[in-house]
Amino acid sequence: MTWAAILAGSLGCYLLKLAGLSVPPLVLERPLVERIADLIPVALLAGLVAVQVVASGHDLVLDARAAGLAVAVVLLLLRAPFLVVVFGAALAAALLRLLG
């Protein structure tokens, strides 16, 4: 059963990739399609971050991870370098976990 699921998933991924490569360039060069294609990765990453920050299993949790994300957002708004953002967020979350 597991191998059948793996093979079916692999075939589905291959067909999805093939379908994406089969789209004519005329369709992909439309401004609306280009704008949507630019925004999809951002939306997916934002959703992933939201799930990782406020979810714990099936529950919604507001803990040090949210504070770390808030610190990262502030540092990004201040146009801090990427490593400063990452270490600042990690430091804020670690300090909050240490305190409570």
Side-chain angles (χ1 to χ4, degrees):
M1 183 65 179
T2 303
W3 283 106
I6 291 172
L7 290 175
S10 299
L11 181 63
C13 289
Y14 176 75
L15 291 175
L16 184 63
K17 179 84 172 182
L18 186 63
L21 292 174
S22 301
V23 175
L26 183 65
V27 174
L28 297 176
E29 293 171 354
R30 293 181 180 171
L32 179 64
V33 174
E34 287 180 352
R35 183 167 167 80
I36 290 173
D38 288 343
L39 294 177
I40 285 176
V42 175
L44 290 173
L45 285 174
L48 179 64
V49 167
V51 167
Q52 292 297 318
V53 168
V54 297
S56 178
H58 293 288
D59 300 325
L60 293 178
V61 176
L62 195 60
D63 58 7
R65 295 176 294 174
L69 178 62
V71 169
V73 169
V74 169
L75 290 173
L76 283 173
L77 290 174
L78 295 174
R79 299 189 182 272
F82 179 72
L83 287 178
V84 173
V85 172
V86 170
F87 285 118
L91 181 65
L95 287 175
L96 284 176
R97 286 184 177 172
L98 183 67
L99 293 175

